[in-house]
Amino acid sequence: MKIAILGGTGNIGKGFALRWGQKHDMIIGSRNAEKAEKFAAEYRDILKRQGYNANITGSDNKNATEEAEIVVIAIRYNQLRSLIDLITPVIGKQIFISVVVPMEKNLCYISPNAEPRTIPITSDQFNADYFCFTMPEAGSATQEIENMLPAGTELASAFHTVPAKKLADLELELDYDIGVCANSEYSKKVVFGLIKDISRMRPLDTGPLEAAAMLESLTPLIINVAARNKMKDISIKFI
Ligand SMILES: NC(=O)c1ccc[n+]([C@@H]2O[C@H](COP(=O)([O-])OP(=O)(O)OC[C@H]3O[C@@H](n4cnc5c(N)ncnc54)[C@H](OP(=O)(O)O)[C@@H]3O)[C@@H](O)[C@H]2O)c1
């Protein structure tokens, strides 16, 4: 399959490129095509040292979207609007996957329309930052993306609980459960396949796209647990 990673030069993008680049054609998307090509060359080199002759190219985000069958949205929540506006003219039959988590450090909202409350970290015995899920009006970043995309666009939500550092470390097998929700059974099935392509990852069906809020909100929880319990880059497993 031809997979584009929008924001593929970033933390989580690297891991996807290295894992899926072993089997699929990858297009690293960036706001800057030259930067994308530079990162694509770096990822190819890493995989070459592991014995893979990977087909990883770099392009700007719009071209990457146009060329791909699967498009992973791997940028930060507050950058979504401009990216979706940019790629909308070239959206057709691609399946989109959002890994986006709307969260803030030390700033929480009781509801999307409420005044935010700053969390005073100095009173915390661990003196660690506290991450909050900042629920968008649509319920989740994924549902907000669905509202921005042309009607009928295939969209799934997954991978929110995967730590970027471990995804990019090819020495590691990732015995994680990956919750997936989607707006069609077809896109869910395709994402299940992509999860199974990563050694030991297990896809789990979490329901329709409306489940995205629950999936996305797991990330700040995991980060808070890690920070307060001297754990690093943890994920989840249902047992
Ligand atoms: N990091 C993790 O462990 C992790 C795990 C699960 C999910 N996620 C989610 O994945 C997403 C990306 O996280 P990340 O840590 O990979 O982020 P990141 O490294 O900070 O950024 C990813 C890429 O976003 C692009 N970017 C920056 N500003 C932009 C803008 N204004 N418009 C469009 N693109 C812009 C940059 O690429 P160019 O400069 O090349 O355009 C950058 O390389 C987030 O939504 C995060 O919640 C992250």
Side-chain angles (χ1 to χ4, degrees), residues 6-14 16 29-32 35-36 39 61 73-80 82-83 99-103 158-165 219 233:
L6 309 185
T9 60
N11 300 317
I12 193 85
K14 179 178 182 180
F16 287 129
S30 165
R31 288 166 296 173
N32 177 324
K35 179 179 174 187
F39 276 76
N61 285 324
I73 301 177
I75 61 165
R76 294 186 182 211
Y77 170 69
N78 59 7
Q79 301 157 352
L80 281 174
S82 56
L83 177 80
V99 306
V100 176
V101 178
M103 64 183 192
F159 298 106
H160 312 91
T161 51
V162 177
K165 268 195 189 149
T219 306
D233 299 320

Side-chain angles (χ1 to χ4, degrees), residues 118-133:
T118 305
I119 305 294
I121 57 163
T122 46
S123 63
D124 189 313
Q125 59 170 317
F126 295 99
N127 203 23
D129 287 319
Y130 180 74
F131 285 85
C132 306
F133 177 60

Side-chain angles (χ1 to χ4, degrees), residues 32-46:
N32 177 324
E34 251 177 59
K35 179 179 174 187
E37 281 162 19
K38 183 175 149 270
F39 276 76
E42 183 196 309
Y43 301 158
R44 278 197 308 271
D45 285 349
I46 295 172

Side-chain angles (χ1 to χ4, degrees), residues 31-195:
R31 288 166 296 173
N32 177 324
E34 251 177 59
K35 179 179 174 187
E37 281 162 19
K38 183 175 149 270
F39 276 76
E42 183 196 309
Y43 301 158
R44 278 197 308 271
D45 285 349
I46 295 172
L47 283 179
K48 186 136 209 151
R49 290 197 290 274
Q50 302 280 328
Y52 296 98
N53 206 1
N55 182 11
I56 306 179
T57 55
S59 193
D60 64 77
N61 285 324
K62 191 175 175 188
N63 277 327
T65 303
E66 190 166 21
E67 284 177 32
E69 296 161 274
I70 311 286
V71 180
V72 180
I73 301 177
I75 61 165
R76 294 186 182 211
Y77 170 69
N78 59 7
Q79 301 157 352
L80 281 174
R81 181 83 254 177
S82 56
L83 177 80
I84 304 289
D85 285 348
L86 176 81
I87 63 172
T88 292
V90 297
I91 293 175
K93 288 198 157 72
Q94 302 94 330
I95 295 174
F96 284 78
I97 306 172
S98 171
V99 306
V100 176
V101 178
M103 64 183 192
E104 293 270 0
K105 197 156 62 173
N106 303 325
L107 194 67
C108 291
Y109 305 83
I110 298 163
S111 72
N113 297 319
E115 281 294 307
R117 186 175 94 82
T118 305
I119 305 294
I121 57 163
T122 46
S123 63
D124 189 313
Q125 59 170 317
F126 295 99
N127 203 23
D129 287 319
Y130 180 74
F131 285 85
C132 306
F133 177 60
T134 50
M135 184 183 271
E137 286 222 33
S140 63
T142 310
Q143 287 163 287
E144 204 158 286
I145 291 168
E146 188 183 41
N147 293 341
M148 291 186 226
L149 291 172
T153 305
E154 299 275 350
L155 175 64
S157 193
F159 298 106
H160 312 91
T161 51
V162 177
K165 268 195 189 149
K166 290 198 170 160
L167 190 66
D169 184 346
L170 298 181
E171 299 297 314
L172 300 178
E173 291 204 311
L174 304 179
D175 187 15
Y176 303 157
D177 283 338
I178 308 297
V180 185
C181 64
N183 62 5
S184 83
E185 286 309 310
Y186 170 64
S187 44
K188 200 178 275 180
K189 196 173 153 202
V190 171
V191 176
F192 264 49
L194 289 173
I195 293 168

